[in-house]
Amino acid sequence: AIKDGCLGQPVNVELSGLGTLTNITLSYSVSGSNTTISQTIPLVVSSGNTSFLIPASNLTNTGSNTVIITDMTNTGNSCTIVINTVSKNFTVNPIPNNPTAINQEFCETDSPTIANLIPNGNQYKWFDSSTSTIPLPLTTLLKSAPYYVKEANATTGCDSGATQINV
């Protein structure tokens, strides 16, 4: 299984049905809008499942791609199987542009909240730091401080970079 990803982020590939294997090496490649030569990686298998990341550095273009698993080796006994038909399609989606925002002033006596900040709407998420991944609730009272806004694409799950404003 593989889910679509966002430009600049790794994409997770999940493998299942590996039975009682415990350690394998796997070779894969990517074709489409991004092309990588065969990559061979060691993986630990637990309860028949494992996963790996296709690095963001190998996914530098947006568009449709296919991950192709070409062979797998059981490192416990060195048995190799060539795999000709295991592939999955995925898309690398663009990142939305950083939102435009300016510093904003409010009267403390009006008890302004995150919901009063502009831009607003379901696609905008406000944070208390540029690296935070948990948006502030709309009911959070504002204080004199920097805030950061990101635009989220609900369809792709990709977020823009953060734009800082001061309140």
Side-chain angles (χ1 to χ4, degrees), residues 3-159:
K3 293 181 181 175
D4 294 342
C6 302
L7 188 64
Q9 298 173 4
V11 171
N12 187 48
V13 179
E14 296 177 353
L15 303 170
S16 60
L18 299 174
T20 59
L21 294 173
T22 55
N23 293 288
I24 63 172
T25 57
L26 182 82
S27 295
Y28 75 94
S29 61
V30 174
S31 65
S33 61
N34 295 281
T35 302
T36 62
I37 58 171
S38 183
Q39 306 287 310
T40 301
I41 54 174
L43 296 170
V44 174
V45 180
S46 177
S47 301
N49 302 304
T50 190
S51 65
F52 67 93
L53 294 174
I54 301 173
S57 59
N58 291 346
L59 303 171
T60 58
N61 300 305
T62 59
S64 298
N65 301 276
T66 303
V67 62
I68 305 151
I69 297 175
T70 54
D71 67 73
M72 181 173 53
T73 301
N74 178 346
T75 55
N77 63 14
S78 299
C79 288
T80 299
I81 184 170
V82 176
I83 303 169
N84 294 320
T85 59
V86 176
S87 64
K88 286 287 185 178
N89 297 327
F90 68 99
T91 301
V92 175
N93 294 300
I95 300 294
N97 292 329
N98 290 9
T100 301
I102 60 172
N103 293 340
Q104 298 171 47
E105 292 184 17
F106 298 93
C107 292
E108 184 178 0
T109 57
D110 293 335
S111 301
T113 65
I114 293 294
N116 297 114
L117 292 172
I118 298 174
N120 57 28
N122 292 337
Q123 74 271 33
Y124 297 105
K125 299 176 186 176
W126 287 91
F127 301 87
D128 57 7
S129 78
S130 62
T131 57
S132 179
T133 58
I134 300 171
L136 295 167
L138 294 176
T139 56
T140 302
L141 288 174
L142 296 176
K143 57 185 178 181
S144 293
Y147 290 91
Y148 303 82
V149 62
K150 295 180 183 180
E151 184 170 352
N153 182 317
T155 304
T156 65
C158 298
D159 289 348

